[in-house]
Amino acid sequence: MFKTIRNAFKIKDIRNKLVFTFIALIIVRLGCQLPVPEINREYFSQWVTSQTSLGFFDTLTGGSFTRMSILALNITPYITASIIMQLLTIAIPKLEELQKDGEDGRKKIAEFTRYLNVALSLIESIAMAIGFGRSGLLIGGITFTNVVIVVATLTAGSTFLMWLGERITEKGVGNGISIILLVNIVAKLPSDFTNLFRTFVTGAASVINGILGAIVILLVTIFVIAFVVLLQSAQRKIPVQYAKKVQGRKMVGGQSSHIPLKVNTAGVIPVIFAGSIMQFPIVVSSFFGVQPARTDLWPKILYLLNQNNWCDFTSWGEFKYTLGLLIYIVLIIFFAYFYTSITFNPLEVSNNMKKQGGFVPGIRPGKPTTEYLTKVVNNVILIGAIGLTLVSVVPVFFAGAFNAQVSFGGTSIIIIVGVVLETMKQIESQMLVRHYKGFLND
């Protein structure tokens, strides 16, 4: 692997892409340290520490929310905007036509997503400014100047990150938004693992318990990472045979091929979408002083949506809120099917195969092929969704049952492994063009 990295830096354009990406990520981490003006940071840090429901949101922002930096919103508005646009492409025929209109249509949808990102950033920053003012977190209280400064700073920070992510996609190694999300999550891992070892190893009742705690932490971490790698790389190959035909004086065709269908077709999207949807009401409500609690209807709903309250077996009164975990699982499965239905159309694939003289052995071209592909895709998606669910539930179970509270979880691990593998494949493809041995073959 190190030899491959050295070879990559010998190629000017790949070296430039890697250096550009590295500099962009340094800018992201520096931006996470710059404070928003007019915020009482010391008081704010104490306030955030008491809000356990904001742990996942703080992880996605790389700790910038806790510090209340200019990048406090980070790319979460962009993720939400992407979710909304994906849903609208199904509901609005005009957007569906744009999506099918090739590169120009996708550029238009990306433009709409940018505008929506700015709108959501404005809404969230206004809610934060007003909520902070009511909680006494603004220096000088709620004034027009303070609110404008906070709103402008947070909106500009979120918009800048969106722009920087697109530049990484264009001029860097690709997957700009995903790479920024990856760096944010990785930045929180050292402190999380330190807290785990302090709680279950150095803070254990005896040396034996400490050793067992360390072994369990390592085994669970290795199992989840290995399982995610297997899930991300698994494929279902659908065989395709092309009929022989005469073109001019030559006989062409007759070769065999296959359709590579990934088991986890949707990648990290279902987990990100499900987690974002469940965290969004909690985050917005916290800005208005409404916290998850077991009193009144809306605080109870927020308590149900909070991952920190799932799998608590101490009493039935606490365990019943594990219903939120079932909602989370349903959302993961739904988005797995939903996103795959957008990216893979069995009818379109069947028609293209028919036009090129291809067919699945034992299946007639046309409607039977479409039905066969639909059946295979649905089965594969179900397996991938179950795998995603398992990886997401394991850390939640340990957090609820054994109080192993960390800001990262199965969601974070899936994002890390998925983005790393995808980025490695992109670099690998660029290396193969230049006849180098790449990461994946090392």
Side-chain angles (χ1 to χ4, degrees), residues 313-366:
F313 299 100
T314 55
S315 66
W316 167 249
E318 294 295 334
F319 179 74
K320 66 183 180 182
Y321 292 102
T322 307
L323 176 64
L325 178 60
L326 299 180
I327 299 174
Y328 183 56
I329 293 172
V330 170
L331 285 175
I332 290 177
I333 296 175
F334 167 76
F335 280 117
Y337 278 94
F338 171 76
Y339 191 79
T340 305
S341 67
I342 296 175
T343 57
F344 186 88
N345 188 339
L347 178 60
E348 186 178 342
V349 173
S350 175
N351 290 336
N352 290 338
M353 286 171 51
K354 188 176 181 180
K355 291 176 183 177
Q356 297 171 8
F359 61 93
V360 178
I363 308 295
R364 288 185 298 172

Side-chain angles (χ1 to χ4, degrees), residues 166-199:
E166 292 181 348
R167 298 290 75 76
I168 294 175
T169 301
E170 180 183 342
K171 299 181 179 180
V173 296
N175 295 330
I177 299 295
S178 299
I179 288 178
I180 291 175
L181 184 60
L182 167 69
V183 170
N184 288 339
I185 294 173
V186 170
K188 292 280 291 182
L189 290 183
S191 61
D192 286 332
F193 276 107
T194 300
N195 291 335
L196 277 180
F197 272 84
R198 283 177 180 172
T199 303

Side-chain angles (χ1 to χ4, degrees), residues 26-254:
I26 291 178
I27 294 173
V28 172
R29 294 312 305 163
L30 287 176
C32 291
Q33 314 302 319
L34 301 177
V36 175
E38 306 303 329
I39 294 286
N40 189 334
R41 297 185 71 194
E42 185 175 339
Y43 184 20
F44 180 80
S45 180
Q46 297 174 0
W47 177 79
V48 171
T49 304
S50 64
Q51 310 299 316
T52 57
S53 59
L54 298 178
F56 179 71
F57 180 77
D58 192 47
T59 299
L60 294 183
T61 62
S64 59
F65 181 73
T66 301
R67 303 183 191 94
M68 191 37 59
S69 73
I70 60 174
L71 302 181
L73 290 180
N74 225 272
I75 57 171
T76 51
Y78 185 85
I79 294 174
T80 306
S82 299
I83 295 173
I84 294 174
M85 288 304 302
Q86 293 280 8
L87 293 173
L88 289 179
T89 53
I90 300 298
I92 303 176
K94 186 65 176 178
L95 290 177
E96 189 176 0
E97 291 177 10
L98 279 176
Q99 191 179 38
K100 296 179 179 179
D101 198 22
E103 188 64 24
D104 291 337
R106 286 191 290 271
K107 286 182 179 179
K108 200 68 178 177
I109 291 179
E111 184 179 346
F112 293 153
T113 306
R114 294 190 198 105
Y115 292 141
L116 187 57
N117 171 76
V118 175
L120 290 176
S121 299
L122 276 171
I123 294 172
E124 290 185 28
S125 57
I126 291 172
M128 290 172 70
I130 296 174
F132 293 161
R134 290 178 176 176
S135 302
L137 300 176
L138 291 182
I139 299 175
I142 300 180
T143 64
F144 178 78
T145 303
N146 285 349
V147 171
V148 169
I149 290 175
V150 172
V151 170
T153 304
L154 293 178
T155 303
S158 176
T159 306
F160 170 74
L161 270 192
M162 176 190 66
W163 175 84
L164 189 62
E166 292 181 348
R167 298 290 75 76
I168 294 175
T169 301
E170 180 183 342
K171 299 181 179 180
V173 296
N175 295 330
I177 299 295
S178 299
I179 288 178
I180 291 175
L181 184 60
L182 167 69
V183 170
N184 288 339
I185 294 173
V186 170
K188 292 280 291 182
L189 290 183
S191 61
D192 286 332
F193 276 107
T194 300
N195 291 335
L196 277 180
F197 272 84
R198 283 177 180 172
T199 303
F200 296 100
V201 181
T202 58
S206 64
V207 176
I208 300 297
N209 290 340
I211 295 174
L212 289 177
I215 293 174
V216 170
I217 292 172
L218 291 175
L219 288 179
V220 171
T221 304
I222 292 172
F223 166 77
V224 173
I225 293 175
F227 186 79
V228 172
V229 172
L230 178 64
L231 185 66
Q232 292 293 100
S233 58
Q235 287 185 349
R236 168 71 160 87
K237 296 181 179 180
I238 302 175
V240 178
Q241 181 71 38
Y242 289 92
K244 292 183 179 181
K245 57 183 178 179
V246 178
Q247 288 185 351
R249 295 183 178 181
K250 294 182 180 180
M251 181 74 71
V252 297

Side-chain angles (χ1 to χ4, degrees), residues 285-299:
S285 297
S286 67
F287 299 148
F288 292 95
V290 181
Q291 301 299 329
R294 287 168 289 183
T295 58
D296 299 329
L297 179 60
W298 184 246

Side-chain angles (χ1 to χ4, degrees), residues 173 175 232 262 417-427:
V173 296
N175 295 330
Q232 292 293 100
K262 291 182 64 177
V417 175
V419 174
V420 168
L421 289 178
E422 188 63 32
T423 304
M424 286 170 62
K425 286 180 181 179
Q426 291 201 5
I427 298 176

Side-chain angles (χ1 to χ4, degrees), residues 371-384:
E371 293 175 349
Y372 173 77
L373 291 177
T374 302
K375 180 182 177 182
V376 172
V377 168
N378 288 337
N379 292 338
V380 169
I381 294 173
L382 181 60
I383 296 173

